[in-house]
């Protein structure tokens, strides 16, 4: 039996699967100790992750070494635990949905997408290489998955630098707090590694997908750029561009778009993105435009003619299909594959079954909301993990895993000890739902007020400066 066959499907009981997990974990450790080939280690890790997913499905619990499964695990007819989530989560660049109140099963998604988990070893390595305490998004698993991050760090340790690329699809004038997640983290990466950044505003994409005019999409791009600039990016190291502007002014960028287009078939793009015969041809060709910033020679004003500078893309995992396609094409057109860091989704106020949406005012906390609006939205709409009555809550405690107010605090509260105490108090019943919501309101109100203040300082001239193709203050 090969390693690929030795997965959870052959395990007839939770204990049998638990023993397979122990053996596979030991195999991964021995391969790392023996400094085996990276491909062999990666394959072993992927199998370990798959076994963990199978174990959770079978038992309803996470696998923990040294904690064998209970003998009285209740199995359902299909072999899954009775509370197992047998419906596959929907995750693509336009839709995110799950039936699980805790949100998307990210371990399962890692296996499905074929990425690698950001484990403690990688977090420690980022700390060592950068010389900085890891960002709270890394410490708390908000950025949870990666592709080739070890390769980026290997090169950086040998004084070979890289650049960052992230983006935003501007579908409305106002962004919400969930949109800030990749930008907050990207700014931290830019600061600690001292590297250039390109930010793509896909106003062309929004025109193709939404019922908006071309002029509206471009205006939203400029307005969104102001919110992005307000995150504190260094103008000397950051280039923000609108596709509608830059595609027409950069032959090098467009040539890379065409190269990608030539190497992806219609069948492939239908398979990756689910396009149908009734989709406009603009949608079918768009993925090549999102791929092009992954290649350094798309920006000759920054990198000259260099085409071998590694790109690192921090993004939510729903954008991964674009870059799986890009990574497949890159070696065939003579470029390095972009590396990725994937974040979890920022949940809607109504619960983690969907991500926050800019099109539903009550599902989102917008960056334009007043302190009163923030308070009302959290109090009225934030899904609670608390019990129905104060007496029940005091007795049994709340469920922080499904409580949206607690989820939001994991994103925005910096102090790890304070966050852990809030969780313990809420779980024990010492902290009531109303008190938890109050903590969130008092965290969000000043954060958003400060953002609004910084945005007021962003002039049209500053936007023009960020969006003008130019050399950046960096030498490779």
């Amino acid at each position: 039996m090969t390693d690929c066959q030795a997965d959870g499907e052959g395990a007839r009981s939770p204990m049998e699967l638990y023993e397979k997990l122990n053996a596979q974990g030991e195999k991964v450790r021995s391969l790392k100790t023996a400094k085996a080939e990276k491909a062999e280690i990666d394959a072993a890790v992927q199998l370990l992750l798959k076994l963990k997913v199978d174990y959770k499905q079978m038992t309803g619990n996470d696998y923990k070494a040294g904690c064998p499964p209970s003998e009285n695990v209740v199995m359902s007819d299909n072999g899954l635990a009775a509370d197992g989530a047998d419906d596959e989560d929907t995750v693509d660049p336009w839709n995110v949905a799950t039936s699980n109140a805790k949100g998307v099963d990210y371990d399962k998604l890692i296996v499905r997408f074929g990425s690698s988990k950001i484990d403690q070893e990688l977090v420690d390595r980022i700390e060592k290489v950068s010389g900085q305490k890891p960002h709270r998004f890394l410490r708390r698993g908000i950025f949870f998955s990666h592709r080739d991050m070890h390769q980026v760090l290997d090169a950086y340790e040998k004084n070979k630098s890289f650049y960052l690329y992230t983006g935003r699809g501007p579908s409305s004038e106002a962004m919400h707090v969930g949109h800030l997640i990749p930008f907050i983290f990207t700014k931290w990466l830019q600061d600690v590694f001292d590297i250039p950044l390109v930010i793509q505003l896909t106003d062309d994409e929004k025109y193709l997908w939404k019922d908006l005019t071309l002029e509206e999409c471009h205006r939203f791009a400029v307005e969104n750029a102001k919110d992005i600039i307000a995150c504190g990016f260094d103008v000397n190291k950051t280039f923000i561009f609108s596709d509608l502007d830059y595609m027409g002014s950069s032959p090098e960028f467009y040539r890379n778009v065409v190269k990608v287009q030539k190497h992806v078939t219609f069948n492939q793009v239908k398979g990756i993105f689910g396009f149908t015969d009734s989709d406009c041809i603009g949608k079918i060709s768009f993925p090549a435009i999102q791929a092009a910033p992954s290649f350094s020679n798309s920006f000759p004003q920054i990198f000259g003619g260099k085409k071998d500078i590694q790109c690192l893309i921090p993004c939510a995992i729903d954008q991964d299909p674009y870059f799986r396609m890009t990574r497949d094409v890159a070696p065939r057109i003579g470029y390095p594959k972009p590396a990725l860091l994937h974040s979890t989704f920022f949940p809607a106020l109504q619960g983690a079954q969907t991500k926050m949406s800019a099109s539903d005012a009550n599902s989102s906390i917008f960056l334009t909301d007043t302190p009163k609006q923030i308070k009302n939205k959290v109090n009225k709409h934030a899904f609670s993990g608390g019990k129905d009555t104060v007496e029940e809550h005091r007795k049994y405690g709340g469920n922080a895993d499904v409580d949206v107010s607690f989820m939001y605090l994991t994103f925005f509260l910096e102090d790890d000890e304070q966050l852990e105490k809030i969780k313990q108090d809420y779980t024990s019943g010492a902290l009531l739902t109303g008190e938890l919501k109050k903590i969130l309101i008092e965290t969000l109100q000043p954060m958003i007020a400060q953002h609004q203040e910084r945005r007021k300082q962003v002039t049209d001239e500053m936007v023009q400066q960020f969006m003008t193709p130019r050399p950046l203050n960096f030498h490779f």
Side-chain angles (χ1 to χ4, degrees), residues 5-26:
Q5 293 169 313
D7 59 20
E9 291 170 9
R12 292 182 297 275
S13 70
M15 181 54 77
E16 196 175 331
L17 185 50
Y18 173 79
E19 288 170 355
K20 284 190 174 189
L21 268 159
N22 286 342
Q24 188 64 21
E26 185 56 44

Side-chain angles (χ1 to χ4, degrees), residues 168-174 201-225 242-245 455 467:
R168 161 89 186 114
S171 57
S172 64
E173 259 184 57
L201 301 174
T202 56
D203 38 11
D204 51 346
E205 175 202 16
K206 291 307 169 189
Y207 175 68
L208 294 168
W209 262 267
K210 302 272 187 181
D211 185 20
L212 297 166
T213 67
L214 214 51
E215 291 71 28
E216 283 174 322
C217 293
H218 188 264
R219 181 168 61 82
F220 293 160
V222 174
E223 289 303 311
N224 285 189
S242 138
D243 283 344
L244 291 174
D245 289 336
R455 194 186 191 280
M467 296 186 74

Side-chain angles (χ1 to χ4, degrees), residues 169-424:
S171 57
S172 64
E173 259 184 57
M175 287 166 57
H176 60 59
V177 287
H179 292 140
L180 288 181
I181 303 308
F183 295 110
I184 290 169
F185 189 60
T186 300
K187 182 188 182 303
W188 180 81
L189 289 169
Q190 182 184 56
D191 290 345
V192 300
F193 288 105
D194 188 27
I195 45 175
L197 159 68
V198 297
I199 298 173
Q200 180 181 43
L201 301 174
T202 56
D203 38 11
D204 51 346
E205 175 202 16
K206 291 307 169 189
Y207 175 68
L208 294 168
W209 262 267
K210 302 272 187 181
D211 185 20
L212 297 166
T213 67
L214 214 51
E215 291 71 28
E216 283 174 322
C217 293
H218 188 264
R219 181 168 61 82
F220 293 160
V222 174
E223 289 303 311
N224 285 189
K226 293 176 183 176
D227 275 313
I228 293 167
I229 292 165
C231 292
F233 291 106
D234 183 348
V235 68
N236 296 311
K237 295 189 176 70
T238 307
F239 173 47
I240 303 174
F241 65 98
S242 138
D243 283 344
L244 291 174
D245 289 336
Y246 191 60
M247 277 271 285
S249 66
S250 175
E252 293 84 357
F253 187 92
Y254 182 60
R255 285 173 185 176
N256 278 338
V257 170
V258 173
K259 283 180 185 177
V260 175
Q261 286 172 340
K262 183 171 182 176
H263 287 80
V264 182
T265 68
F266 181 42
N267 271 342
Q268 285 173 321
V269 90
K270 281 201 296 185
I272 296 167
F273 299 100
F275 296 144
T276 67
D277 291 348
S278 59
D279 278 309
C280 72
I281 60 172
K283 288 185 180 181
I284 293 151
S285 60
F286 172 75
I289 298 171
Q290 188 156 323
S294 308
F295 310 129
S296 55
N297 64 347
S298 291
F299 306 99
Q301 71 277 15
I302 303 172
F303 304 112
K306 288 178 186 277
K307 63 178 188 178
D308 61 345
I309 299 168
Q310 177 92 50
C311 175
L312 175 63
I313 306 169
C315 63
I317 194 152
D318 58 342
Q319 297 300 301
D320 188 67
Y322 284 110
F323 302 112
R324 289 205 299 276
M325 180 199 79
T326 307
R327 285 167 56 85
D328 180 60
V329 170
R332 291 187 276 147
I333 57 177
Y335 299 145
K337 294 180 180 182
L340 287 101
L341 291 168
H342 300 124
S343 75
T344 59
F345 302 115
F346 196 86
L349 281 167
Q350 287 79 359
Q353 284 91 341
T354 59
K355 66 176 182 176
M356 197 180 259
S357 167
S359 58
D360 180 356
N362 290 326
S363 80
S364 313
I365 305 288
F366 283 92
L367 299 178
T368 51
D369 282 348
T370 63
K372 186 177 179 182
Q373 285 174 316
I374 294 165
K375 182 179 179 180
N376 289 343
K377 283 184 180 181
V378 171
N379 282 331
K380 189 173 180 183
H381 298 292
F383 183 81
S384 166
K387 298 295 184 284
D388 291 338
T389 67
V390 171
E391 291 74 21
E392 280 186 353
H393 188 89
R394 293 286 191 211
K395 186 174 180 181
Y396 300 110
N399 183 352
D401 290 337
V402 301
D403 192 289
V404 166
S405 295
F406 183 77
M407 289 180 191
Y408 281 22
L409 287 172
T410 64
F411 281 87
F412 296 122
L413 198 64
E414 178 59 37
D415 190 319
D416 291 339
E417 288 182 12
Q418 186 186 356
L419 186 71
E420 184 56 34
K421 184 172 190 319
I422 290 168
K423 183 173 186 178
Q424 287 174 2

Side-chain angles (χ1 to χ4, degrees), residues 44-270:
V45 169
Q46 288 301 323
L47 179 54
L48 180 64
L49 288 170
K50 184 183 186 310
L51 289 169
K52 285 182 177 180
V53 170
D54 292 342
Y55 183 84
K56 187 167 185 176
Q57 286 181 333
M58 187 180 277
T59 67
N61 297 310
D62 290 323
Y63 162 78
K64 288 182 183 173
C67 297
S70 167
E71 291 178 9
N72 57 359
V73 171
V74 179
M75 306 283 285
S76 63
D77 291 342
N78 62 0
L80 300 181
D83 65 342
D86 56 359
D87 293 332
E88 193 170 78
D89 299 331
T90 300
V91 176
D92 63 39
W94 307 280
N95 305 287
V96 175
T98 177
S99 58
N100 191 332
K102 294 181 182 179
V104 170
D105 186 330
Y106 292 105
D107 284 337
K108 206 170 177 180
L109 206 57
I110 285 172
V111 175
R112 196 167 116 208
F113 282 10
S115 58
S116 301
K117 190 177 179 70
I118 295 178
D119 55 15
Q120 190 57 47
E121 182 188 347
L122 179 55
V123 175
D124 292 343
R125 189 168 179 216
I126 291 171
E127 178 174 19
K128 183 185 170 199
V129 174
S130 68
Q132 300 287 330
K133 179 182 178 181
H135 194 276
R136 63 180 182 274
F137 292 172
L138 283 172
R139 302 197 303 269
R140 296 173 191 165
I142 289 168
F143 274 81
F144 71 99
S145 161
H146 75 100
R147 296 185 188 279
D148 289 345
M149 188 60 193
H150 280 294
Q151 183 180 305
V152 170
L153 295 173
D154 287 345
Y156 190 79
E157 284 181 319
K158 294 170 185 167
N159 297 318
K160 189 171 183 187
S161 200
F162 59 98
Y163 74 99
L164 296 164
Y165 156 38
T166 195
R168 161 89 186 114
S171 57
S172 64
E173 259 184 57
M175 287 166 57
H176 60 59
V177 287
H179 292 140
L180 288 181
I181 303 308
F183 295 110
I184 290 169
F185 189 60
T186 300
K187 182 188 182 303
W188 180 81
L189 289 169
Q190 182 184 56
D191 290 345
V192 300
F193 288 105
D194 188 27
I195 45 175
L197 159 68
V198 297
I199 298 173
Q200 180 181 43
L201 301 174
T202 56
D203 38 11
D204 51 346
E205 175 202 16
K206 291 307 169 189
Y207 175 68
L208 294 168
W209 262 267
K210 302 272 187 181
D211 185 20
L212 297 166
T213 67
L214 214 51
E215 291 71 28
E216 283 174 322
C217 293
H218 188 264
R219 181 168 61 82
F220 293 160
V222 174
E223 289 303 311
N224 285 189
K226 293 176 183 176
D227 275 313
I228 293 167
I229 292 165
C231 292
F233 291 106
D234 183 348
V235 68
N236 296 311
K237 295 189 176 70
T238 307
F239 173 47
I240 303 174
F241 65 98
S242 138
D243 283 344
L244 291 174
D245 289 336
Y246 191 60
M247 277 271 285
S249 66
S250 175
E252 293 84 357
F253 187 92
Y254 182 60
R255 285 173 185 176
N256 278 338
V257 170
V258 173
K259 283 180 185 177
V260 175
Q261 286 172 340
K262 183 171 182 176
H263 287 80
V264 182
T265 68
F266 181 42
N267 271 342
Q268 285 173 321
V269 90
K270 281 201 296 185

